[in-house]
C-alpha cells in the first residue's frame, strides 16, 4: 500500500492533467507499488477535490464489464467510478471536443434509481426492483494518464469517465427485456459499431448488482435518483472535433450529439 501522501500526489496529478488537458505519466510507473485499493483511494481524493470545487455526485459508472476488456486489462472483474453533474449532457448537445484529452464514445444503458440500494448480496432482481427508469446513454471516456495503462491507472483516473449523454425513450425496467436492447453507433453517417445489452455480463443489471456489493465493502450504496451507467456493449469509437454521432436504439429512440 502507498502512503496517504502518495495518494494525494497521485490525485493531484490526475487533477492537473484534467485541468490542463495534458496527460500525466502513468501512476503505475510513478508509484510502482500501487495496488487496486490504492487506486480507489486516489479516485476518492480526486472526487473529493472536484466536489469541493462545486461539482455534485450524480451517480456511478461501471467499466470493464466485457470479458474481452477484462482480459486486455488483466483483471477478472469490472471497475467503477463516479459520475459528476458537470459532465452531464442531453440529446442534441454540442460538446466541445477540446474539453477532453482523447475522447472516445461507448454505447450504454443508464439506470435511474427509484430507491436506495445497498448490499451485501445484491442480485439482479434487487437492481430491477430498485430501478425507476432505464434510458439510452452514451459515455464519453477519456484518459488523463499516458498509455499503455495498468488497471490501477484506469481506476485512479475515475475509471476513464469523461462525460455522459442521456436521450432516447425513457422506459420502466420491465417494459422491455433489458437483456436484448440493441443499438448501432454511427459516426458522420457511417455505422461504426453495433451491439446488444446482453453483452454486459449477460444482463445489464448484473454489473450494477456487482457495484452495489462493492460499495457495501466501503460503507456506501446507491441513492434514489442517482444515475448508474451499466457498461458498454460496443467497442469504443475515437472522437474528433467536427464529428456528428447518432446512436440508434430502435424502439427506444436515438441519441444525437456533435463535437465542436
Amino acid at each position: 500500500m502507498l502512503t496517504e501522501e502518495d495518494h494525494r500526489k497521485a490525485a493531484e496529478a490526475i487533477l492537473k492533467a484534467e485541468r490542463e488537458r495534458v496527460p500525466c505519466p502513468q501512476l503505475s510507473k510513478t508509484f510502482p507499488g500501487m495496488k487496486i485499493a490504492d487506486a480507489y483511494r486516489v479516485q476518492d481524493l480526486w472526487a473529493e477535490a472536484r466536489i469541493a470545487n462545486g461539482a455534485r455526485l450524480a451517480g456511478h459508472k461501471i467499466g470493464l464489464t466485457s470479458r474481452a476488456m477484462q482480459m486486455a486489462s488483466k483483471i477478472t472483474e469490472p471497475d467503477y467510478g463516479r459520475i459528476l453533474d458537470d459532465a452531464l449532457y442531453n440529446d442534441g448537445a454540442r460538446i466541445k471536443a477540446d474539453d477532453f484529452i482523447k475522447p472516445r464514445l461507448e454505447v450504454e444503458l443508464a439506470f435511474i434509481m427509484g430507491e436506495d440500494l445497498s448490499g451485501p448480496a445484491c442480485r439482479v432482481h434487487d437492481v430491477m426492483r430498485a430501478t425507476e427508469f432505464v434510458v439510452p446513454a452514451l459515455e464519453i471516456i477519456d484518459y488523463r494518464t499516458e498509455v499503455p495503462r495498468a488497471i490501477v491507472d484506469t481506476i485512479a483516473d475515475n475509471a476513464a469517465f469523461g462525460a455522459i449523454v442521456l436521450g432516447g425513450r425513457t422506459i420502466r425496467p420491465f417494459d422491455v427485456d433489458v437483456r436484448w436492447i440493441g443499438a448501432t453507433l454511427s459516426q458522420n453517417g457511417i455505422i461504426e459499431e453495433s451491439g446488444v445489452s446482453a453483452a454486459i455480463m449477460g444482463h445489464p443489471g448484473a454489473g450494477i448488482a456487482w457495484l452495489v456489493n462493492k460499495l457495501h465493502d466501503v460503507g456506501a450504496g446507491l441513492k434514489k435518483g442517482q444515475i448508474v451507467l451499466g457498461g458498454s456493449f460496443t467497442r469504443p469509437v475515437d472522437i474528433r472535433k467536427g464529428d456528428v454521432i447518432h446512436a440508434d436504439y430502435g424502439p427506444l429512440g436515438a441519441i444525437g450529439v456533435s463535437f465542436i
Side-chain angles (χ1 to χ4, degrees):
M1 288 287 290
L2 303 181
T3 66
E4 187 67 357
E5 181 62 23
D6 287 338
H7 293 151
R8 293 192 180 281
K9 288 179 180 178
E12 288 167 2
I14 296 293
L15 288 162
K16 181 180 179 182
E18 183 178 46
R19 185 169 57 250
E20 298 180 357
R21 308 290 188 258
V22 177
C24 65
Q26 298 96 319
L27 300 181
S28 58
K29 292 184 177 179
T30 305
F31 305 98
M34 179 175 279
K35 306 296 184 184
I36 286 179
D38 292 308
Y40 278 117
R41 178 57 184 155
V42 173
Q43 185 190 124
D44 291 342
L45 293 171
W46 169 87
E48 289 171 9
R50 294 278 274 100
I51 290 169
N53 201 36
R56 182 183 64 84
L57 180 65
H60 298 267
K61 67 149 288 184
I62 308 165
L64 302 177
T65 52
S66 74
R67 178 62 176 159
M69 289 298 292
Q70 289 178 9
M71 291 178 67
S73 302
K74 297 180 180 179
I75 189 171
T76 58
E77 65 178 18
D79 64 357
Y80 66 85
R82 274 88 162 180
I83 297 173
L84 301 181
D85 68 338
D86 58 2
L88 292 172
Y89 295 93
N90 294 321
D91 180 26
R94 290 164 55 84
I95 302 172
K96 292 182 179 179
D98 290 342
D99 285 348
F100 308 93
I101 297 173
K102 193 178 184 301
R104 295 187 293 166
L105 204 67
E106 296 179 334
V107 173
E108 309 201 14
L109 294 174
F111 286 60
I112 314 300
M113 304 310 299
E115 59 185 67
D116 294 355
L117 185 61
S118 60
C122 179
R123 301 182 67 85
V124 169
H125 61 262
D126 299 308
V127 172
M128 297 296 285
R129 183 172 54 239
T131 299
E132 186 170 13
F133 301 114
V134 177
V135 61
L138 299 177
E139 182 183 1
I140 302 170
I141 59 174
D142 200 18
Y143 288 175
R144 269 73 61 168
T145 73
E146 295 172 353
V147 294
R149 309 206 316 171
I151 184 59
V152 293
D153 297 307
T154 300
I155 292 171
D157 189 19
N158 196 35
F161 178 76
I164 175 179
V165 185
L166 298 175
R169 175 186 162 205
T170 299
I171 62 170
R172 295 191 181 277
F174 298 105
D175 284 355
V176 300
D177 186 345
V178 296
R179 298 173 305 155
W180 296 109
I181 296 174
T184 60
L185 180 66
S186 298
Q187 184 178 32
N188 304 321
I190 300 172
I191 294 177
E192 296 287 354
E193 279 296 319
S194 62
V196 64
S197 57
I200 308 169
M201 300 174 69
H203 191 294
I208 297 173
W210 171 88
L211 171 65
V212 169
N213 293 326
K214 283 295 179 180
L215 290 175
H216 172 79
D217 293 342
V218 294
L222 300 180
K223 300 298 183 182
K224 179 179 180 179
Q226 285 189 335
I227 302 165
V228 187
L229 278 173
S232 178
F233 53 94
T234 64
R235 180 182 58 87
V237 172
D238 290 338
I239 295 299
R240 298 167 296 276
K241 184 181 293 187
D243 281 348
V244 177
I245 300 296
H246 181 81
D248 187 348
Y249 286 76
L252 269 64
I255 303 173
V257 295
S258 58
F259 288 84
I260 60 175

